[in-house]
Structure formats: C-alpha cells, structure tokens
Amino acid sequence: MAGVLFLSTQCLAASADPYVEITNAPPFETAGLLKGFASCDAAGPCGVAVYINVNGGWWNKPNFANPISAIDTNGSWSCDVTGASNDVYATKYAAYLVPLSASNSVPLLSGMPLPDSLDTIALAKDFHIQTPIDFSGREWEVKATTPGAEIGPGPNEFSTNNVWTDGTGRLHLKINKEIDAGTTNWSCAEVIGGDEFGYGMYCFYLDSPVDDFDPSIVLSPFIYSDYTNYAFREIDMEFTTWNGTETNGNAQYAIQQWAYPVIFERFEQPPNVTNSVHCFAWSPWRIDFKSLKGHDPTSTDPADLIYAWSFTNATQIPPEGPVRPRINLYLSGGIPPTDDNPVEIIVSRFDYFPLLEFTDAAHTASNTMQLTLLPRVEGLLDLEVTTNLAPVTNWAPLETNVPGNAESPVLFEVPATNSESFYRGSLHFP
C-alpha cells in the first residue's frame, strides 16, 4: 500500500525521544574532532557509535578498541575522526545513539557498507556530509577519493573539483584529464543525495545530449541504498555502450537483482536532444521507466517519447527501503576515452514524487469539497475520512477501487461538513 494524508490542521507536540545530532565537524582535508549532542532520556545509559566514510566504505572511530564515544553530563559528545592519514578525506560522518548494554553488538567496520543491524540496535542516528553541494533544493554529497585511490564504479578516482553548480543552479559533472610531470591522470564525478526516499517516482532532467558518448563514458542517474539488502535496492538508467561491447542501443534501464541475473532493457537515445527527462516509478508491483524529450515528465505527446518500459514481475522488484538518488559520470573499467578528451554534462534538476499525492483541495459552490489525487503508477485508489486522528481504526471509507492511471489526476467530490475532517488516499494493485 502507498498512501498520503491531507490534513486540514495538524499540531505536533515536542518530542522527548532519544536523539543524537552532529553539530561540528573538522573541515574537509583537516584533522580534528567530530562533536555533537545526544540524549538517552529514559532509555538508560547510552553512547555514540561514530563511523566515517572514506573511499566509499565505512570505518569505526576512534578505533575498534573504543567504538563508543561517551556522552557528558551536559549531553555533549566528541570523537577523534582523523586518527589515520586518509581520514581527512572522509566525505560523510554517521553517529548512532546506542544503549551501552548493546555496545558489544556495535559492528566493527573497515571499509564496508553500513549493516542494517545498526538500525536495529540504535535509538537514533544522524549524518553529516563533509563535501556538500546544493542542487535542486537539496543537499548532496560529492564523492571523493584519497589521492591515487581508485574505487567503483570503474574503478576510478573521484574528485570534488569535477562537480559544481552554475549561476542558474544547474549541476555540472565532469570527467577530467590532468597531466603532472608527464603522467596523465583521469578523474570522475558523482553526487549522492543527502535525503533518503522509498517508493515513488524519480526524475532526472538533463541539459546535455547523451547519445554520442565516447565508448568508455558512462552517465548514470540511479538510486542506491546504503545497506546491502536486496543488492542495495539499485535501479539505474545508464547512457553508455560499455566500451563498445553493446551495439543494441546507446542506453539502458537496469534493475539490480539479489537472487536473479541483472535485468537490462536497452534503448536508443536519439541525437540532437539537448533537453530530456528520464524517470522511473518504483512501486511494490511494478517499475515503470520512461525517457522524454523536453522537461515535462507528464507529457503524453507521442513526439516527446524517447522510450518507455515497464517491469511487472513483483517477485523480482526490490521491496521498499531507504535509498538515495545518485548521479555519476565515469569511465567504464577505468579506461580513458579513445578520443583523449574530457567530458562534461549538465543536469538541470532532480525531482522525487510519492506514488500518490493530493494535488488540490477546494470547496465548491454546491457545499462540497473536491479533492484531487495524482497517482504515479497504474493502480486502484481508495479515499477515507475521519474527524479524529487518535483512533487508528477510525477511518471511514468514501470511495474504493477507483481506477487510476499514471499522471492522470483523479477527482473526488465529497460533502462538506462543519466539523474538521481529515482525508487520506491509498494506492493498491488490482
């Protein structure tokens, strides 16, 4: 089920839940302490498990012998996060509030992904991006490697110098070539969204043609989980011929599988298309991909359609879990371009839409209320109402099993009442 709430009014009380926050971090490429505040409240004695991300992997700090940082009586905590020489190149910090009774269960990591067991034992968590960039109204992490290090994808070196935004807020990604003392070095670009999402529609808006890359170039807007479950829940859109090994089109949609072969759908990105938008809607029962000319993801003009494909084998669709949007520009196999030229692409925007959302609510002259729901995938819509949010079972059905088509608004007209009413919609598969 995918649902949303429309609330006419809502009050949120202050929370007394356990919390942890990162308030100060040493500047990138500088040694120092990570600092913050935490509170266990009634949870019992707690500490903070700190991890840093270097070259794409996570490491305990300050060390394996001391994986828990103490919380002072005033709620402050600190941790030395730069004990090793490469630590100053960390691109992200993570702080987990854990009960001291579970300190022996804190995973010890040396360049590995974050295990989901951390969320099981943690009472709260917070992240801090060391290499931030603001794009499309969100904070993103710029991927970076320590000098001389090569990591995936590729493997390649990644540099913060290859990512920037221009005066209009558009994101630039570059594969760069540098010559130092006669040695040629190539470095690539990647950004990682700071926000976690789940089911919904992800759209990436390009302001560069992406049909005629050098054979080794790969541009990929995609989603990826920080956790290993279900092959990191990776869903990709990739523009490449993989060093010329693929002759069936110059682009593909891909679903990474955890118990099955990776699923690919190749297609042809046409020439002379500077502005395009590429989206996929991820739901429990299907993943719908589409690529369009222009920047309107809702366009139904056949002239705008580049390609569309739906994958409907629900048993092979990653179940919902936290994922982050990413965009990378890199060299397949780390092989330099055959034309020996740098490459730059421009991304103008990123959007995330829930599978179902209220887009309008208005009173009418006939003393009714019109509610407009917009589904992002094909399915059946239910509408419910309540005047009291406290009992979770107090919702009354208004409309059920109303057919909904992707990107087609569905209008509900309901009687207006004098009492305060709350409405929610849900989307399910027939």
Side-chain angles (χ1 to χ4, degrees):
M1 297 285 285
V4 291
L5 277 175
F6 175 81
L7 303 182
S8 55
T9 59
Q10 184 179 24
C11 295
L12 299 178
S15 173
D17 293 335
Y19 78 92
V20 61
E21 62 178 339
I22 298 170
T23 57
N24 296 94
F28 186 61
E29 297 183 347
T30 304
L33 298 177
L34 188 71
K35 299 179 180 180
F37 286 90
S39 174
C40 300
D41 292 323
C46 296
V48 180
V50 174
Y51 297 86
I52 69 172
N53 190 290
V54 180
N55 292 337
W58 291 93
W59 305 73
N60 293 79
K61 286 297 161 184
N63 49 54
F64 281 178
N66 301 283
I68 301 293
S69 296
I71 301 172
D72 292 338
T73 54
N74 65 356
S76 66
W77 59 269
S78 64
C79 178
D80 182 0
V81 290
T82 53
S85 59
N86 286 343
D87 291 348
V88 296
Y89 296 100
T91 56
K92 186 184 290 186
Y93 297 129
Y96 287 82
L97 182 70
V98 297
L100 293 184
S101 60
S103 58
N104 290 336
S105 300
V106 170
L108 304 180
L109 306 180
S110 53
M112 294 170 284
L114 291 172
D116 60 350
S117 60
L118 263 171
D119 282 336
T120 302
I121 64 174
L123 302 171
K125 62 181 178 181
D126 191 25
F127 291 87
H128 173 80
I129 296 175
Q130 275 291 84
T131 53
I133 190 169
D134 291 326
F135 166 60
S136 202
R138 304 180 186 278
E139 185 180 58
W140 300 67
E141 171 194 348
V142 179
K143 190 172 184 174
T145 52
T146 60
E150 293 183 339
I151 62 175
N156 291 285
E157 293 185 32
F158 290 83
S159 173
T160 57
N161 296 327
N162 295 342
V163 178
W164 69 95
T165 54
D166 59 28
T168 62
R170 299 184 306 171
L171 179 70
H172 292 246
L173 302 176
K174 188 173 184 178
I175 295 176
N176 203 21
K177 172 186 176 183
E178 296 180 355
I179 300 176
D180 184 18
T183 301
T184 301
N185 183 62
W186 292 87
S187 57
C188 301
E190 182 171 336
V191 292
I192 304 166
D195 298 316
E196 290 184 336
F197 301 108
Y199 288 145
M201 188 166 82
Y202 298 78
C203 289
F204 301 83
Y205 302 77
L206 306 182
D207 276 1
S208 297
V210 291
D211 62 287
D212 195 27
F213 284 146
D214 189 271
S216 65
I217 305 299
V218 184
L219 169 67
S220 180
F222 65 111
I223 59 172
Y224 190 88
S225 173
D226 290 327
Y227 304 101
T228 58
N229 309 59
Y230 304 101
F232 298 93
R233 292 183 168 86
E234 184 176 353
I235 302 172
D236 309 88
M237 297 180 288
E238 296 163 313
F239 301 88
T240 184
T241 60
W242 302 114
N243 294 307
T245 60
E246 285 285 353
T247 57
N248 180 25
N250 56 14
Q252 67 184 31
Y253 306 132
I255 303 169
Q256 303 292 330
Q257 296 288 282
W258 58 96
Y260 311 92
V262 177
I263 297 167
F264 298 102
E265 177 69 13
R266 298 286 298 178
F267 68 96
E268 185 72 24
Q269 174 75 8
N272 304 316
V273 177
T274 300
N275 303 118
S276 59
V277 58
H278 306 268
C279 305
F280 59 85
W282 171 35
S283 74
W285 56 88
R286 60 191 296 146
I287 302 175
D288 294 317
F289 295 85
K290 63 180 175 181
S291 295
L292 299 162
K293 299 174 185 175
H295 282 169
D296 181 5
T298 66
S299 174
T300 56
D301 186 343
D304 290 340
L305 182 62
I306 295 172
Y307 198 74
W309 177 65
S310 296
F311 181 74
T312 58
N313 187 339
T315 62
Q316 297 183 37
I317 292 175
E320 188 171 33
V323 297
R324 301 180 191 274
R326 298 187 178 211
I327 313 169
N328 56 27
L329 182 68
Y330 67 95
L331 297 168
S332 176
I335 299 172
T338 59
D339 60 10
D340 205 39
N341 290 325
V343 178
E344 181 180 333
I345 64 99
I346 302 173
V347 185
S348 59
R349 197 163 93 237
F350 162 78
D351 279 333
Y352 167 79
F353 305 98
L355 287 181
L356 184 68
E357 62 179 333
F358 283 97
T359 58
D360 193 32
H363 284 283
T364 67
S366 58
N367 197 33
T368 63
M369 176 174 283
Q370 290 185 344
L371 305 175
T372 304
L373 276 168
L374 182 65
R376 301 296 175 183
V377 295
E378 181 180 351
L380 299 177
L381 280 64
D382 297 338
L383 183 67
E384 297 175 292
V385 64
T386 187
T387 56
N388 186 352
L389 289 175
V392 295
T393 59
N394 204 36
W395 291 90
L398 290 175
E399 300 276 356
T400 59
N401 295 329
V402 176
N405 295 318
E407 307 304 327
S408 298
V410 179
L411 180 67
F412 294 92
E413 188 163 347
V414 299
T417 63
N418 293 327
S419 61
E420 185 178 46
S421 298
F422 303 85
Y423 299 91
R424 71 179 180 184
S426 60
L427 177 69
H428 58 97
F429 191 59

